[in-house]
Amino acid sequence: MKLVFCGTPEFAVPTLQAVIAAGHEVALVVTQPDRAAGRGLEVHVPPVKQAAVTHGLPVVQPEKIKNNLELRARLEEIAPDAILVVAYGRIIPQWMLELPRFGNINLHGSLLPKYRGAAPIQWAVACGEVVTGVTTMRLDAGLDTGDMLLAAVCPVGLEETAVDVYGCLAPLGAELMVETLRRLEAGTICPEEQNHSLATLAPILKREDGLVDFSRSAKQIYDRWRGFQPWPGAHTTLRGKKLIVSKMGICSGRSVAAGELLVDGEQMLVGCGSGTVAELLELQMEGKKRMSAAEFLRGYQVKSGERLGL
């Protein structure tokens, strides 16, 4: 097929590479503009752009696409069989949806209709799912509401973070996209309408999503910590200052009031909801270095009975 590929982060790179390896013609790669980020405002080039340049593919980086007449004229000239959309980060306008004969094929990082939205992988882990996956779907005007084409399942380990699950889903999704294109061309896919009553939302993550609520159970707090890696992570306050929880686990057989600390030797435990207890394994006071619990207890002279989140 002749394709246009829209994608931006590292998650999309395996799919781009897979469709090239499968012999498809990628006539154009559309990705987000380079961005300045960090304290030094260093310019970051999207991973998809880097991969496209390596393969000698033409790249465009429009700031906006909805009313972009130049982009529209270029895509109409290409007349692609399909437009592939993988974590591009822009809403696809109606004129693009209507352009290719096979439509705009999206690789979504969940088993739809669950976890529609910008952060499906993170929210699946944060909600304690033990199975997730990827779905190819034909985009329509809604938010991840289009007809499903194919899906593939990936187990989620009880200690895996969103970063680990990304590592599973990216290559799995690449294979699924190649198979989707093969079967679309062969006419052997039967698009399936989503059951919209089963849909859940996975909105873009915000910094406050990482704020630990100690009324939740230790398992819920731990799952959110796993899901919100590498950002926004998990944070609370100690002695009025921000405390980042870099690594944590669940502790059984103890009873501590929610938000209250219990120091047991080199262990730093905190009470959570429903009578559960979490263990804080690595911590970092804002602006300071990351420490093991033992180092933190010695350095800050933490005592049992102190409270977090105040």
Side-chain angles (χ1 to χ4, degrees), residues 12-23:
V13 171
T15 302
L16 175 60
Q17 293 172 331
V19 297
I20 294 168

Side-chain angles (χ1 to χ4, degrees), residues 101-251:
R101 63 187 179 115
F102 288 116
N104 286 238
I105 311 303
N106 174 234
L107 175 68
H108 186 75
S110 80
L111 297 174
L112 289 169
K114 262 195 162 185
Y115 302 110
R116 294 174 176 173
I121 298 172
Q122 295 95 320
W123 282 107
V125 177
C127 292
E129 300 285 358
V130 296
V131 172
T132 188
V134 282
T135 307
T136 50
M137 59 172 286
R138 187 171 276 135
L139 286 177
D140 62 13
L143 176 66
D144 301 327
T145 54
D147 289 350
M148 299 179 293
L149 301 173
L150 295 177
V153 172
C154 171
V156 180
L158 296 179
E159 296 184 354
E160 286 189 317
T161 67
V163 176
D164 300 319
V165 178
Y166 261 92
C168 166
L169 292 184
L172 185 66
E175 294 174 15
L176 190 70
M177 183 64 84
V178 170
E179 178 66 9
T180 299
L181 293 177
R182 186 188 70 79
R183 289 178 57 178
L184 277 173
E185 206 163 23
T188 57
I189 280 187
C190 295
E192 179 185 350
E193 186 178 353
Q194 294 186 45
N195 183 343
H196 302 298
S197 68
L198 299 178
T200 59
L201 290 180
I204 191 166
L205 292 172
K206 307 183 295 294
R207 187 176 301 278
E208 50 265 36
D209 289 321
L211 180 64
V212 179
D213 177 357
F214 290 102
S215 69
R216 292 189 170 103
S217 72
K219 173 71 164 57
Q220 290 171 324
I221 292 170
Y222 175 63
D223 287 341
R224 288 174 70 92
W225 171 82
R226 292 190 302 127
F228 299 157
Q229 298 299 321
W231 189 88
H235 64 269
T236 183
T237 53
L238 173 64
R239 301 169 184 169
K241 294 184 178 180
K242 184 177 180 180
L243 175 67
I244 299 165
V245 181
S246 306
K247 191 174 180 183
M248 66 177 299
I250 301 172
C251 184

Side-chain angles (χ1 to χ4, degrees), residues 15-84:
T15 302
L16 175 60
Q17 293 172 331
V19 297
I20 294 168
H24 297 287
E25 176 194 350
V26 180
L28 184 66
V29 172
V30 184
T31 188
Q32 297 252 16
D34 300 350
R35 304 285 189 200
R39 289 181 181 175
L41 293 180
E42 181 182 347
V43 174
H44 288 256
V45 177
V48 163
K49 178 183 177 181
Q50 296 176 37
V53 170
T54 299
H55 286 280
L57 301 175
V59 178
V60 293
Q61 297 176 272
E63 193 68 55
K64 296 181 180 179
I65 61 174
K66 184 176 180 180
N67 299 311
N68 189 323
L69 298 180
E70 183 181 348
L71 177 65
R72 182 169 184 169
R74 187 160 182 181
L75 295 191
E76 287 173 348
E77 183 182 352
I78 291 169
D81 296 306
I83 296 175
L84 308 188

